[in-house]
Amino acid sequence: MKIISQVGEARELLDQGGVIAYPTEAVYGLGCSPFNQQAVEKIWTLKRRTKSKGFILLIADWTQLTPLIAPVSDLLLEAVRSTWPGPVTWVFPKSGIIPDWLSGQHDGIAIRMSAHPVAHQLCVDGPVVSTSANISGHDPVVDLLGLSEQFPQGLDAVLTGDLGGLSQPSAIYDVLTGIRLR
């Protein structure tokens, strides 16, 4: 397993279709370029995950959000603004550029603007897929040993860094209803 410490090197791997593990607020995440179908399929395979489930997209700033979502009123966005950047994911109506391989069977797309320094830097040049680093049904990975145990093969690199200290993965809310989904 290749260990890297530079976000720029990790971003190059993502841009080349690679899959990496990286630290987030609570657990390690698996990431790839969201618009590279082969990379997304590699994550499904690594996680042994059903394709009907969608993925979360990490973004770095508000300008990255607009192309990814269908129009949402400013009133609804107030709740999002109060939680971003931070460890809260929101499900938005998706725009036409979101392929089904990202959203699964859902009409929406889950998006988070992370405040975690490594995760945030990773998506400055564009959105990144974010899903917990674990085989479906197993506990999410919180250290390098767990990564090597669950993913002895298949990751192009691990971007090092400290986890954010939260005990649970991000809460997920529906932007249209305000209902907590996780």
Side-chain angles (χ1 to χ4, degrees):
M1 185 173 354
K2 181 179 181 179
I3 307 294
I4 58 176
S5 61
Q6 299 298 314
V7 171
E9 185 179 356
R11 190 65 211 203
E12 284 179 30
L13 287 169
L14 295 177
D15 292 343
Q16 296 166 4
V19 171
I20 66 166
Y22 59 92
T24 70
E25 292 87 348
V27 300
Y28 270 88
L30 296 181
C32 68
S33 171
F35 300 106
N36 183 318
Q37 186 173 2
Q38 287 182 315
V40 173
E41 287 179 357
K42 186 174 178 183
I43 290 180
W44 279 326
T45 300
L46 285 168
K47 287 184 64 87
R48 301 179 201 157
R49 181 178 178 152
T50 175
K51 292 184 178 185
S52 64
K53 290 186 172 185
F55 288 110
I56 295 171
L57 297 182
L58 280 187
I59 61 172
D61 59 49
W62 290 95
T63 62
Q64 292 178 345
L65 178 67
T66 305
L68 302 172
I69 65 171
V72 174
S73 75
D74 285 340
L75 181 63
L76 292 175
L77 287 177
E78 284 181 25
V80 178
R81 284 187 185 98
S82 73
T83 64
W84 279 2
V88 177
T89 298
W90 290 88
V91 176
F92 294 87
K94 65 183 179 179
S95 76
I97 71 165
I98 300 295
D100 289 343
W101 71 73
L102 287 178
S103 58
Q105 66 183 14
H106 306 285
D107 294 329
I109 185 69
I111 301 174
R112 182 170 79 249
M113 186 187 301
S114 179
H116 185 279
V118 175
H120 174 83
Q121 277 302 119
L122 190 61
C123 56
V124 164
D125 291 333
V128 174
V129 164
S130 183
T131 183
S132 58
N134 63 301
I135 295 170
S136 291
H138 291 70
D139 288 336
V141 171
V142 294
D143 56 30
L144 295 178
L145 177 61
L147 282 171
S148 65
E149 288 175 348
Q150 287 198 45
F151 305 106
Q153 299 175 9
L155 294 178
D156 294 296
V158 175
L159 179 58
T160 60
D162 293 331
L163 298 179
L166 297 182
S167 61
Q168 296 291 319
S170 65
I172 301 176
Y173 291 89
D174 184 297
V175 75
L176 298 178
T177 65
I179 294 173
R180 185 173 180 156
L181 305 172
R182 176 178 82 183

